[in-house]
Amino acid sequence: MSVLIRSVGVHIPERRITNDELGKMVDTTDEWIRSHTGIGARHIAADGMLTSDLGADAAKKALAKAGVSPKELDFILVATATSDYLGFPSTACIIQDKIGAHGCAAFDITAGCTGFIYGLEIASNMLSARRGHHALVIGAETLTRVTDWTDRSTCVLFGDGAGAVVLSNIEEGGRGVLKTILGADGGGALDLYLKQAERPKSFERAPAQVPSIVMNGKNVYNFAVKSITVLIERIMHLSMYRLEDFAWIVPHQANARIVQAAAKRLGIPEERFYMNMEEYANTSAASIPIVLGEMEDKGLLKRGDLIMLLGFGAGLTFGGSVIRW
Ligand code: ACO
């Protein structure tokens, strides 16, 4: 039995903000943002649209492509750092209702920008353990709702979007999710976090506060370059594949400079890494499925291709997956 990615669905909000437009809001320029991050634009969820709306739309598209009905789903797993509600209910439950998948299990996971890789590993293990036939793994984010739009060092980095995959347990050896490595370094938790009102120490309520992203850019940069480097080396070691065996390496789309630095360190040509952060910026847990959807639309993913997915993000977390398409 294999756990296959049967299909990918993507939701990209229509509203697009270029670097030049951002330059009218904070003291920044297109030249600075492009040269430091490779980002040229970001898409922003329409007023009133929630993370669950983006995720539900991506999910419906993935289900339609796979020819799987929502009623056939065994569970829905949503990786997000920007759930509709803080704490509960899970965004997965809200999406379950929005797509009409009533009754199946639904839960969120929190692993920052590595959330999709964590989700893929959890879901494929649940399916392999014969706990069902079909699952949805969704990465969905509305990061621009928790962005501090006065902080030029972070507000230029993020965008909104969602990507969903249908995973199916199928009688076909050799394809699907072959190997995954997950890890974390909680010592770096405060290098990237959502600052919120301090939890009350008594029953008296503190005034509500909109959470916003706080980041130590240099620490995150160093961690991200190291994560890509170490993950590739460990995947090579564990899987016994050679780099030449991989059709594509798909990194989390945080920043082109991070990918370029890791590629240089490993002596891998940059063209082997697929990047689209120029158009969408960093969409956290949604970035990898958004890339997969784009690559599929462009006909870049062929049946039997070996690809490597690499995630790194808040936690700090990291994870890599080897997939035979
Ligand atoms: N426009 C213009 N100037 C800016 C901007 C901006 N948007 N942001 C920062 N600067 C300025 C700083 O104020 C500083 O000015 P100063 O020297 O006068 O003090 C100067 O640029 C250099 O700032 P640094 O922070 O040293 O810039 P750096 O070269 O480190 O780049 C960056 C900053 C791009 C954030 C980098 O640290 C980075 O890529 N970090 C990784 C963070 C990341 O990708 N996070 C995404 C989320 S995490 C994830 O997905 C894994």
Side-chain angles (χ1 to χ4, degrees):
M1 294 291 272
S2 299
V3 176
L4 279 192
I5 295 184
R6 289 273 296 279
S7 62
V8 192
V10 165
H11 177 93
I12 302 292
E14 264 175 45
R15 188 165 167 218
R16 180 175 184 267
I17 297 192
T18 61
N19 292 343
D20 284 333
E21 284 174 76
L22 267 190
K24 293 178 191 145
M25 295 163 61
V26 285
D27 183 15
T28 190
T29 60
D30 179 57
E31 195 282 327
W32 192 98
I33 301 171
R34 281 184 189 275
S35 61
H36 285 74
T37 69
I39 293 167
R42 68 283 300 141
H43 291 245
I44 299 210
D47 292 352
M49 288 281 273
L50 301 174
T51 297
S52 61
D53 294 312
L54 276 52
D57 185 58
K60 284 180 191 164
K61 288 173 181 161
L63 288 166
K65 275 192 201 165
V68 171
S69 140
K71 296 188 173 41
E72 291 177 88
L73 287 172
D74 293 289
F75 60 94
I76 299 171
L77 196 164
V78 175
T80 183
T82 46
S83 48
D84 287 8
Y85 296 92
L86 181 66
F88 56 88
S90 71
T91 302
C93 283
I94 298 168
I95 291 178
Q96 186 228 45
D97 184 53
K98 285 184 176 168
I99 66 173
H102 306 295
C104 77
F107 61 103
D108 290 359
I109 58 157
T110 304
C113 306
T114 321
F116 183 75
I117 307 277
Y118 269 66
L120 209 54
E121 173 68 347
I122 295 165
S124 53
N125 279 306
M126 282 175 72
L127 288 177
S128 308
R130 312 282 168 102
R131 294 188 58 88
H133 299 292
H134 305 291
L136 264 177
V137 179
I138 303 169
E141 303 282 10
T142 47
L143 285 161
T144 65
R145 303 274 168 80
V146 292
T147 298
D148 177 352
W149 289 101
T150 62
D151 175 10
R152 67 176 181 175
S153 66
T154 55
C155 76
V156 300
L157 300 175
F158 301 102
D160 301 335
V165 297
V166 173
L167 285 185
S168 297
N169 209 348
I170 271 176
E171 244 359 296
E172 190 177 328
R175 285 177 67 213
V177 184
L178 302 183
K179 185 159 268 322
T180 300
I181 296 172
L182 300 177
D185 173 10
L190 295 186
D191 284 338
L192 180 57
Y193 70 104
L194 262 189
K195 189 170 172 17
Q196 294 158 38
E198 205 181 323
R199 224 25 95 68
K201 303 273 187 301
S202 70
F203 64 88
E204 286 172 62
R205 300 273 90 182
Q209 182 197 11
V210 178
S212 58
I213 298 170
V214 176
M215 180 180 76
N216 180 326
K218 281 195 176 33
N219 285 0
V220 173
Y221 178 91
N222 291 335
F223 167 78
V225 175
K226 191 172 152 199
S227 293
I228 296 183
T229 315
V230 170
L231 279 169
I232 292 181
E233 284 169 351
R234 281 177 61 189
I235 285 173
M236 293 298 120
H237 180 71
L238 280 175
S239 67
M240 308 290 280
Y241 286 118
R242 297 161 306 158
L243 264 176
E244 309 83 89
D245 297 329
F246 288 87
W248 288 104
I249 303 172
V250 177
H252 163 50
Q253 306 290 305
N255 179 328
R257 271 201 330 176
I258 289 172
V259 178
Q260 286 153 355
K264 193 168 166 202
R265 209 178 267 188
L266 291 161
I268 304 173
E270 199 186 310
E271 307 72 60
R272 303 285 303 278
F273 294 82
Y274 191 91
M275 289 193 263
N276 70 359
M277 71 283 277
E278 184 181 7
E279 178 58 30
Y280 306 116
N282 180 350
T283 56
S284 192
S287 91
I288 290 177
I290 287 174
V291 167
L292 293 177
E294 179 173 304
M295 292 178 79
E296 209 181 39
D297 286 350
K298 288 184 173 171
L300 294 174
L301 295 174
K302 303 197 173 51
R303 190 186 168 97
D305 273 355
L306 198 61
I307 60 169
M308 192 192 301
L309 311 181
L310 301 172
F312 46 87
L316 298 166
T317 55
F318 54 95
S321 264
V322 176
I323 290 171
R324 177 81 66 189
W325 201 253

Short mmCIF file of all heavy atoms in Angstrom, two decimals, residues 259-268 273:
data_model
loop_
_atom_site.label_atom_id
_atom_site.label_comp_id
_atom_site.label_asym_id
_atom_site.label_seq_id
_atom_site.Cartn_x
_atom_site.Cartn_y
_atom_site.Cartn_z
N VAL A 259 17.34 30.17 0.50
CA VAL A 259 17.50 29.02 -0.40
C VAL A 259 18.83 29.12 -1.15
O VAL A 259 19.58 28.13 -1.27
CB VAL A 259 16.31 28.95 -1.40
CG1 VAL A 259 16.48 27.79 -2.36
CG2 VAL A 259 14.99 28.82 -0.64
N GLN A 260 19.16 30.33 -1.62
CA GLN A 260 20.41 30.51 -2.35
C GLN A 260 21.62 30.19 -1.48
O GLN A 260 22.58 29.55 -1.92
CB GLN A 260 20.51 31.94 -2.89
CG GLN A 260 19.58 32.19 -4.08
CD GLN A 260 19.15 33.64 -4.23
OE1 GLN A 260 19.47 34.49 -3.39
NE2 GLN A 260 18.39 33.93 -5.28
N ALA A 261 21.56 30.63 -0.21
CA ALA A 261 22.71 30.38 0.68
C ALA A 261 22.87 28.88 0.93
O ALA A 261 24.00 28.35 0.92
CB ALA A 261 22.51 31.12 2.01
N ALA A 262 21.74 28.18 1.14
CA ALA A 262 21.82 26.73 1.38
C ALA A 262 22.31 26.00 0.13
O ALA A 262 23.14 25.09 0.20
CB ALA A 262 20.46 26.19 1.82
N ALA A 263 21.82 26.43 -1.04
CA ALA A 263 22.22 25.79 -2.30
C ALA A 263 23.73 25.95 -2.50
O ALA A 263 24.43 25.00 -2.88
CB ALA A 263 21.45 26.42 -3.46
N LYS A 264 24.21 27.14 -2.18
CA LYS A 264 25.65 27.41 -2.35
C LYS A 264 26.47 26.54 -1.40
O LYS A 264 27.47 25.94 -1.79
CB LYS A 264 25.90 28.90 -2.06
CG LYS A 264 27.26 29.38 -2.50
CD LYS A 264 27.32 30.89 -2.45
CE LYS A 264 28.79 31.30 -2.57
NZ LYS A 264 29.01 32.63 -2.03
N ARG A 265 25.98 26.46 -0.16
CA ARG A 265 26.70 25.68 0.85
C ARG A 265 26.82 24.21 0.42
O ARG A 265 27.82 23.56 0.66
CB ARG A 265 25.93 25.77 2.17
CG ARG A 265 26.81 25.65 3.37
CD ARG A 265 25.99 25.79 4.64
NE ARG A 265 25.94 27.15 5.14
CZ ARG A 265 25.41 27.48 6.31
NH1 ARG A 265 24.88 26.56 7.09
NH2 ARG A 265 25.41 28.72 6.72
N LEU A 266 25.75 23.71 -0.22
CA LEU A 266 25.74 22.29 -0.62
C LEU A 266 26.27 22.07 -2.03
O LEU A 266 26.37 20.92 -2.48
CB LEU A 266 24.30 21.74 -0.54
CG LEU A 266 23.71 21.60 0.86
CD1 LEU A 266 22.20 21.51 0.80
CD2 LEU A 266 24.27 20.36 1.55
N GLY A 267 26.54 23.16 -2.74
CA GLY A 267 27.02 23.03 -4.12
C GLY A 267 25.95 22.52 -5.07
O GLY A 267 26.24 21.83 -6.05
N ILE A 268 24.67 22.87 -4.77
CA ILE A 268 23.56 22.44 -5.64
C ILE A 268 23.13 23.64 -6.49
O ILE A 268 22.93 24.73 -5.95
CB ILE A 268 22.33 21.98 -4.80
CG1 ILE A 268 22.74 20.87 -3.82
CG2 ILE A 268 21.20 21.52 -5.70
CD1 ILE A 268 21.62 20.48 -2.85
N PHE A 273 15.93 24.08 -7.19
CA PHE A 273 14.94 24.46 -6.17
C PHE A 273 13.82 25.25 -6.87
O PHE A 273 14.10 26.19 -7.60
CB PHE A 273 15.57 25.36 -5.11
CG PHE A 273 16.61 24.70 -4.26
CD1 PHE A 273 17.92 24.56 -4.72
CD2 PHE A 273 16.30 24.21 -3.01
CE1 PHE A 273 18.89 23.96 -3.94
CE2 PHE A 273 17.26 23.61 -2.22
CZ PHE A 273 18.56 23.47 -2.69
#
